[in-house]
Amino acid sequence: MWVVSLAFADILLAITAIVTNILHIYAYNFDNNNNLFWIVYIFAVSYFTFIGLNVDRTFAIKKPLQSNGQTGRSFYRKIFACWVLALLPALPYLWDTSLELCERHCHSCWIPVDNKPLMWWHTIVGCLAPMLIIFAAWVVIFQELRKTTIVVKRDNENRRVIYVMGIMTFAFIICTLPLTITLISSSILTPSTSMWLNLSYTSCFFNSVLNPILYLSVSTKANRAFLALICCKSPISSSPVLSGEFPVLSGESTQFSSSS
């Protein structure tokens, strides 16, 4: 379910990029506040979804018995909470007035870099905090794996879950790190050009393209299910990914037992 949420956010991000570029070609006059709110929000959804995915896997490893008792509704509530929390870094852009003032003498800026409180709020809530939470989750995962023995019959599956999640999380951090660095530098010193902001947001867009490629590349079950779906070899319901057998997608708990 987490991957489905992430995929849906990536689709919305792709649609946003396509529509924005098409309208920009035709010199459409954007409402800066609404436009920035939506762009920041949809980016933040990816950030907070990755937080949810990593925290959920950490909970499954640290508290397997409690995690087993979770229902599908609980996962929907968690995903919904991530989409709501993503509003935190985006909402202040609706009331920003600094960009409108800046446009009177500068037409290259599209981020309100003169509004330092807003830039710091976006940097801390929308970038730094998610990365720190993800890093903390992986510290806990590694600590638990060192002192925990995975049940033998699920050993390969659980290792694959951690492997897939690790690859996607690492790619996410690498692709979004330029934006975090650029926002921090822009919060300290007002940039003379928007080039670095453009490049850093392009890097984030690249992560949305990379996610499905990585998922299909590192997940054998997802790859087989995708090929079966494309080739019409089996019904969708029989797919191990779409039916919920694959833990990363379905949120299925990881089983552990204490080492002797």
Side-chain angles (χ1 to χ4, degrees), residues 133-170:
I133 294 173
I134 291 173
F135 177 76
W138 275 98
V139 170
V140 174
I141 288 174
F142 282 124
Q143 288 178 342
E144 289 299 315
L145 290 179
R146 290 182 62 183
K147 64 180 181 181
T148 307
T149 302
I150 304 176
V151 175
V152 176
K153 68 177 182 179
R154 294 181 63 95
D155 181 65
N156 292 333
E157 183 179 16
N158 290 322
R159 290 182 185 276
R160 186 169 61 250
V161 171
I162 297 171
Y163 174 71
V164 172
M165 187 179 73
I167 292 293
M168 294 183 67
T169 302
F170 179 76

Side-chain angles (χ1 to χ4, degrees), residues 38-126:
W38 177 252
I39 291 176
V40 172
Y41 171 69
I42 205 62
F43 271 116
V45 169
S46 295
Y47 275 86
F48 283 87
T49 299
F50 267 103
I51 290 178
L53 170 62
N54 283 274
V55 171
D56 180 67
R57 291 297 88 199
T58 304
F59 179 71
I61 292 174
K62 194 170 181 63
K63 301 289 184 181
L65 296 179
Q66 292 90 327
S67 182
N68 273 337
Q70 295 184 97
T71 62
R73 288 185 178 181
S74 67
F75 286 106
Y76 284 119
R77 286 195 293 267
K78 292 176 184 177
I79 291 172
F80 178 74
C82 289
W83 283 72
V84 172
L85 289 173
L87 291 169
L88 289 176
L91 279 175
Y93 282 92
L94 291 174
W95 297 283
D96 173 71
T97 57
S98 63
L99 189 59
E100 182 179 354
L101 296 174
C102 179
E103 281 189 333
R104 296 177 182 177
H105 56 83
C106 175
H107 299 286
S108 61
C109 294
W110 56 278
I111 291 288
V113 292
D114 291 330
N115 191 339
K116 299 304 181 183
L118 176 56
M119 294 298 294
W120 277 114
W121 172 258
H122 184 181
T123 301
I124 295 172
V125 177

Side-chain angles (χ1 to χ4, degrees), residues 105-239:
H105 56 83
C106 175
H107 299 286
S108 61
C109 294
W110 56 278
I111 291 288
V113 292
D114 291 330
N115 191 339
K116 299 304 181 183
L118 176 56
M119 294 298 294
W120 277 114
W121 172 258
H122 184 181
T123 301
I124 295 172
V125 177
C127 296
L128 288 178
M131 284 194 176
L132 290 175
I133 294 173
I134 291 173
F135 177 76
W138 275 98
V139 170
V140 174
I141 288 174
F142 282 124
Q143 288 178 342
E144 289 299 315
L145 290 179
R146 290 182 62 183
K147 64 180 181 181
T148 307
T149 302
I150 304 176
V151 175
V152 176
K153 68 177 182 179
R154 294 181 63 95
D155 181 65
N156 292 333
E157 183 179 16
N158 290 322
R159 290 182 185 276
R160 186 169 61 250
V161 171
I162 297 171
Y163 174 71
V164 172
M165 187 179 73
I167 292 293
M168 294 183 67
T169 302
F170 179 76
F172 171 77
I173 291 176
I174 292 299
C175 290
T176 56
L177 190 59
L179 178 60
T180 303
I181 296 174
T182 304
L183 287 176
I184 292 175
S185 63
S186 299
S187 300
I188 298 173
L189 296 174
T190 302
S192 58
T193 175
S194 61
M195 179 185 69
W196 295 112
L197 280 169
N198 294 338
L199 291 175
S200 59
Y201 268 98
T202 301
S203 177
C204 292
F205 276 112
F206 179 71
N207 179 73
S208 298
V209 177
L210 196 60
N211 277 333
I213 298 174
L214 284 176
Y215 188 61
L216 291 175
S217 298
V218 300
S219 170
T220 304
K221 285 187 177 180
N223 196 8
R224 290 175 180 174
F226 178 76
L227 291 176
L229 184 63
I230 294 297
C231 299
C232 300
K233 290 184 178 180
S234 61
I236 296 178
S237 59
S238 66
S239 164

